[in-house]
Amino acid sequence: MPARRAAYWTTTTLIALSFLSGGVAYLFRADATLRGMMELGYPPYFLTILGVWKLLGGVVILAPRYPRLKEWAYAGVVFDLSGAAFSHLAMRQPLWHVVVTVSLLGMTLVSWALRPEGRKIGDLVGRVEPAVSGLPLVGVR
């Protein structure tokens, strides 16, 4: 179990730091960041929108508790990174841009999969759903 915990915290920390530093770079419109987004065809105001969400996502992924917010943050990271990978491909940028982005996406999925129980919403499989209007639901476990 120690290896699983180490893998979780390593991937989680790397993803969170990537998003925290990216959020700061986006909000302060760092030259390289602004230039990169312009090359992808995105308007400058997009940096502000993504910067705020990146900062919030990085904080939520590291923070204790709030499992539902963590699910939303992980989903946001997946949307952000997959969108970035497709943007790099669409604009025919060097392949290493896509490789780095997909690698971060892979780390995100590993982090999500290895979350400790206290960081998960819970097991939704096998829950008994209540009857609707007093009628039992057939086939619901």
Side-chain angles (χ1 to χ4, degrees):
M1 210 46 108
R4 179 184 175 101
R5 185 179 176 101
Y8 166 75
W9 279 110
T10 300
T11 56
T12 301
T13 301
L14 289 172
I15 291 301
L17 290 177
S18 169
F19 268 66
L20 290 169
S21 63
V24 170
Y26 278 38
L27 288 175
F28 285 100
R29 297 187 182 205
D31 289 339
T33 306
L34 180 59
R35 196 170 39 257
M37 290 296 278
M38 298 300 283
E39 288 173 4
L40 291 173
Y42 294 107
Y45 70 84
F46 210 56
L47 290 168
T48 304
I49 296 167
L50 285 178
V52 169
W53 286 116
K54 282 177 178 283
L55 278 176
L56 292 173
V59 168
V60 168
I61 285 175
L62 287 177
R65 296 182 293 277
Y66 306 108
R68 188 165 316 276
L69 274 178
K70 287 185 189 313
E71 290 293 324
W72 282 89
Y74 276 111
V77 172
V78 169
F79 296 149
D80 179 82
L81 293 173
S82 59
F86 286 119
S87 294
H88 290 303
L89 282 172
M91 298 307 288
R92 292 187 166 89
Q93 293 199 321
L95 189 58
W96 70 267
H97 289 278
V98 178
V99 170
V100 169
T101 306
V102 171
S103 297
L104 288 170
L105 181 58
M107 278 195 280
T108 301
L109 297 177
V110 169
S111 170
W112 179 85
L114 296 178
R115 289 167 300 148
E117 288 303 316
R119 293 178 167 256
K120 294 180 182 178
I121 290 178
D123 181 19
L124 298 177
V125 178
R127 286 195 182 166
V128 176
E129 297 293 325
V132 178
S133 303
L135 298 174
L137 297 175
V138 178
V140 174
R141 297 174 60 196

